[in-house]
């Protein structure tokens, strides 16, 4: 890992393509004099459109906050949780986070990692973001102050947690609109961690492809439900208040909850459409509450049927998820998963639930308690993995993610 | 499975959106009067661009050949192989293929399956293709004539085949530019097969996202190599001759080889760049042969270095894959895979190799024999799955895939 890791990673714009090649050459020492268009593997022009490709879009890595939280969700994500080796002390953590931050800064800008073994796979950033999270074990190892909520969630009655999808010391969330980009970035970053940590779990998720549906369309999960209608919108005061922590080394950071929620598609199949809509409290067709006509209509929990029952059932998901306290709210950034079934499973599908909130205990836990008690959807969903991480703030170009804790 | 399965599935163009809703209503009996824009979950216009979305693009299902062979490769694919139940006789095969063909025709046009449980997930076809293949067991069960090559491939010395990735009676290849579309279509089609067959294996693969790189860019595998430069081009005489079978019930069909090739990314890492380029016989940067400067330059196998060695090594992949016989050639349509590692694996990545050729024994086997003997790449690649299928011709709107065998 010798070499100048600080240079260049902040460059942008018109010099990017030339730099790309510079990065490739520096990274792997190839003594070629091949031009950048060759590295990018372009065919000759032939009236090639001048419009930038989706794959060329970049999201800044450096800043007040880490990218990958407020960033509009990309089509593909891989979440990797690692366990620290016994020998990884605070000094080693510092080295690891410097190396990881530097390579993440490069890769997100379409620049090969410093020791990139396949630099040609690094040139399609496709809105790549890399987001690092610290588990309780890492903060302890660093000798830092651990926020009270940074620990395993309380037990919920619905949970059937499996260790292979739970907990971890270091979280790396890699997301981009191109699955090749994600695969390459995960590989490069995991190589950086090898001396310091080992992989505990890997989870993959997806949304609609970039450009497949209109921007701003709320995602659907694999039950066909519109999922996330009431999410706070990045850029609003509400989002800022709910998501970003303001205390100590975590100021500008946030708390992250990851839950792997198995969805019983076979059981759901046996439920008819009105039954499904009652269990959610929304129409499947467009996500409107059962008391409304448009997805973004406010649900009317007082409305009753002619014979006096609530139109939106008491036990429906939308009712149980709602609090009167405007601070008991989270920002969701979930992905669908659909992995190959194993054994006698017919499907292995569900939701890779991800939420960000400044304080997990005050925002996530009460909401999950209400859902745990009475949410009708519990019939067809089972949490099988759970983890909590502190997401440190972003870093400056001469810093690294975690420097407010480790620096 | 009652209901009129023949109607409507051939409609196209401007009536599609209205039909969409018709399909949804017919399929699941939802007595709503909600407009199609609601089903599509569109937000209000706000200067919405008029350009069609990637997700709205369709590939015709009916025709002389099945789609998904000459179709430019989509970003995502799932291949599922099924074993027939003992009770599935020729009559049952006929029923199954009718149902599958009908639902595939619908789904590929953005129309919900007849008994679609999540019709809202069906409205983003994203160039969806569904391609059916028959293994030896299915053709025998149908009482049909089995092409001589329709059997397990001969043993190759490099093979370490696992039954969980090999063989099968029925193959369903589902590919689209949107991973949500693929997940939903696989689920609907597997529901159609439940009374007739059980899943033997499922394999997932990907390319760059749609719109991420320029159309026509040759794919790279996870070694970073450009892969498929010399592929016959659909539309050419060479492609027609090499790919489409002309005999009996398979006229207009083809032969399919599926090989799961584990790639040892860790071992490959230890090889330097010149070593990698020698093993392939091409430059990693742009895929040009070591005797050329452009990807599509013809390799010069006679060229020697100043001290008399061949510039393109005798044992390089490009040399070993090349035959002097213009009929010993295949059409490749491979995908990358990158699955979560299990146990102590650091990565679980490789190539989901797919090739189409009119005659597997005459085209694929001699090529694979040459690679098996001496290809340097064998050092870092291991075939761990293998299957051969006959891909029947396409069908007319009033027919079904396999009707030339079963009809």
């Amino acid at each position: 890992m010798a070499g100048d890791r600080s240079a260049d990673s902040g460059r942008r714009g018109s010099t990017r393509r030339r730099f790309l090649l510079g990065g490739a050459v520096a990274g792997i020492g190839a003594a070629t004099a091949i031009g950048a268009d060759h590295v990018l593997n372009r065919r000759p022009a032939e009236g090639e459109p001048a419009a930038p490709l989706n794959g060329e879009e970049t999201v800044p890595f450096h800043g007040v906050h880490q990218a990958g939280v407020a960033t509009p969700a990309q089509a593909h994500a891989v979440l990797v949780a690692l366990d620290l080796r016994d020998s990884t002390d605070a000094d080693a953590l510092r080295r690891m986070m410097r190396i990881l931050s530097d390579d993440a800064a490069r890769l997100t800008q379409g620049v090969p990692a410093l020791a990139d073994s396949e630099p040609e796979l690094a040139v399609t950033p496709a809105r790549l973001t890399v987001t690092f999270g610290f588990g309780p074990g890492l903060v302890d190892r660093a000798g830092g102050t651990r926020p009270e909520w940074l620990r395993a969630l309380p037990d919920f009655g619905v949970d059937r947690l499996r260790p292979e999808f739970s907990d971890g010391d270091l979280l790396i969330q890699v997301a981009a609109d191109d699955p090749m980009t994600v695969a390459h970035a995960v590989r490069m970053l995991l190589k950086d961690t090898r001396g310091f940590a080992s992989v505990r779990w890997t989870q993959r998720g997806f949304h609609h492809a970039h450009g497949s549906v209109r921007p701003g369309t709320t995602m659907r999960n694999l039950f066909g439900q519109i999922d996330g209608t009431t999410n706070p919108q990045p850029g609003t005061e509400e989002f800022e208040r709910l998501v970003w922590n303001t205390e100590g080394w975590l100021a500008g950071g946030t708390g992250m909850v990851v839950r792997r929620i198995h969805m019983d598609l076979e059981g759901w199949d046996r439920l008819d459409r009105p039954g499904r809509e009652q269990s959610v409290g929304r129409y499947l067709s467009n996500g409107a509450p059962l008391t409304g006509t448009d997805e973004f209509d406010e649900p009317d929990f007082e409305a009753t049927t002619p014979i006096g029952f609530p139109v939106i059932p008491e036990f429906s998901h939308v009712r149980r998820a709602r609090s009167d306290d405007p601070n008991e709210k989270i920002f969701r950034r979930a992905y669908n998963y659909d992995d190959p079934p194993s054994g006698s499973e017919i499907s292995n599908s569900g939701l890779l639930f991800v939420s960000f909130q400044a304080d997990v205990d005050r925002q996530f836990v009460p909401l999950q308690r209400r859902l745990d008690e009475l949410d009708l959807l519990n019939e067809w969903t089972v949490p099988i993995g759970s983890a909590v991480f502190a997401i440190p703030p972003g870093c400056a170009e001469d810093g690294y993610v975690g420097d407010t804790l480790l620096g």
Side-chain angles (χ1 to χ4, degrees), chain A residues 248-295:
Chain A
W249 64 269
L250 203 52
T254 182
M256 180 187 201
V257 172
V258 181
R259 307 263 292 170
R260 186 175 183 87
I261 310 209
H262 172 77
M263 289 166 39
D264 175 13
L265 297 180
E266 318 308 316
W268 185 250
D269 268 0
R270 291 190 286 271
L271 192 62
D272 65 6
R273 200 162 169 98
R276 294 176 178 199
E277 292 178 336
Q278 297 266 317
S279 76
V280 187
R282 291 185 178 277
Y283 290 110
L284 285 165
S285 56
N286 68 342
L290 297 182
T291 53
T293 55
D294 181 84
E295 180 190 344

Side-chain angles (χ1 to χ4, degrees), chain A residues 22 58 63 66 83-84 111 150 162 177 206 221 236 242 271 284 286 378:
Chain A
T58 57
Q66 286 196 68
D83 289 331
L84 296 177
V111 175
L150 185 56
R162 303 186 197 161
D177 285 327
F206 59 86
N221 62 30
T236 61
L242 292 171
L271 192 62
L284 285 165
N286 68 342
N378 290 341

Side-chain angles (χ1 to χ4, degrees), chain A residues 359-376:
Chain A
D359 185 320
V360 173
D361 279 354
R362 290 174 57 183
Q363 296 172 254
F364 178 85
V365 172
L367 184 159
Q368 181 57 33
R369 279 232 170 84
R370 283 197 306 280
L371 295 176
D372 185 48
E373 285 163 9
L374 286 172
D375 180 12
L376 267 181

Side-chain angles (χ1 to χ4, degrees), chain A residues 87-108:
Chain A
S87 58
T88 304
D89 58 13
D91 268 351
L93 284 176
R94 212 166 288 133
R95 287 200 304 279
M96 176 180 74
M97 290 312 301
R98 269 191 195 282
I99 296 169
L100 281 172
S101 300
D102 184 46
D103 274 343
R106 291 168 180 261
L107 290 164
T108 55

Side-chain angles (χ1 to χ4, degrees), chain A residues 64-85:
Chain A
V64 176
H65 309 299
Q66 286 196 68
V69 178
T71 311
Q74 299 96 325
H76 301 276
V78 170
L79 273 61
V80 186
L82 298 106
D83 289 331
L84 296 177
R85 298 191 190 288

Side-chain angles (χ1 to χ4, degrees), chain A residues 342-353:
Chain A
S342 62
S344 61
E345 287 178 331
I346 293 179
S347 61
N348 178 5
S349 310
L351 190 73
L352 184 48
F353 173 96

Side-chain angles (χ1 to χ4, degrees), chain A residues 87-351:
Chain A
S87 58
T88 304
D89 58 13
D91 268 351
L93 284 176
R94 212 166 288 133
R95 287 200 304 279
M96 176 180 74
M97 290 312 301
R98 269 191 195 282
I99 296 169
L100 281 172
S101 300
D102 184 46
D103 274 343
R106 291 168 180 261
L107 290 164
T108 55
Q109 306 311 305
V111 175
L114 187 66
D116 203 315
S117 41
E118 287 84 29
E120 288 84 2
L121 298 183
V123 299
T124 312
R127 296 204 303 130
L128 175 68
T129 58
V130 177
T131 316
F132 299 104
F134 294 167
L138 190 150
V139 177
D140 289 351
R141 198 76 69 92
T145 309
R146 199 211 281 188
E148 202 171 335
W149 51 258
L150 185 56
R151 51 169 152 63
L153 292 173
D155 291 336
F156 297 106
V158 290
D159 289 356
R160 299 289 176 273
L161 303 185
R162 303 186 197 161
E164 69 265 32
F165 299 126
S166 298
D167 305 324
D169 294 327
L170 173 68
L171 183 280
I172 311 180
Q173 174 190 272
V174 178
D177 285 327
D178 189 322
M180 285 293 288
T181 308
V182 172
H184 178 68
V186 167
R187 183 166 158 65
M188 288 304 116
L189 296 167
L190 287 184
K191 284 166 76 163
D192 288 344
T193 66
R194 275 190 202 160
F196 307 102
S198 59
V199 172
R200 183 181 175 85
W201 52 254
T202 302
Q203 301 190 55
R204 277 140 221 267
F206 59 86
H207 288 150
H208 276 300
H210 180 92
S212 185
V213 296
R214 306 245 168 246
T217 303
T218 314
M219 75 171 267
R220 286 186 188 267
N221 62 30
L222 293 174
F223 281 167
Q225 298 166 332
I226 289 183
D227 198 348
T229 299
T230 61
N231 233 5
Q233 292 300 305
T236 61
E237 181 280 327
E238 182 189 33
F239 182 93
E240 300 288 317
R241 175 172 50 82
L242 292 171
V243 172
W244 302 122
N245 197 293
T246 53
E247 288 163 33
W249 64 269
L250 203 52
T254 182
M256 180 187 201
V257 172
V258 181
R259 307 263 292 170
R260 186 175 183 87
I261 310 209
H262 172 77
M263 289 166 39
D264 175 13
L265 297 180
E266 318 308 316
W268 185 250
D269 268 0
R270 291 190 286 271
L271 192 62
D272 65 6
R273 200 162 169 98
R276 294 176 178 199
E277 292 178 336
Q278 297 266 317
S279 76
V280 187
R282 291 185 178 277
Y283 290 110
L284 285 165
S285 56
N286 68 342
L290 297 182
T291 53
T293 55
D294 181 84
E295 180 190 344
F296 296 97
D297 286 348
E298 196 58 28
D300 176 3
F301 297 119
E302 309 303 321
T304 52
T305 63
I307 55 168
F309 287 109
V311 176
I312 297 178
E314 193 65 23
F315 301 158
S316 66
H317 184 74
V318 64
R319 182 70 195 92
R320 301 302 303 173
R322 191 67 64 108
S323 168
D324 293 334
D325 180 345
N327 291 317
E328 268 184 24
K329 212 174 160 183
I330 61 176
F331 174 64
R332 307 180 46 156
R333 200 169 183 279
Y335 282 87
N336 299 306
Y337 74 83
D338 183 39
D339 286 347
S342 62
S344 61
E345 287 178 331
I346 293 179
S347 61
N348 178 5
S349 310
L351 190 73

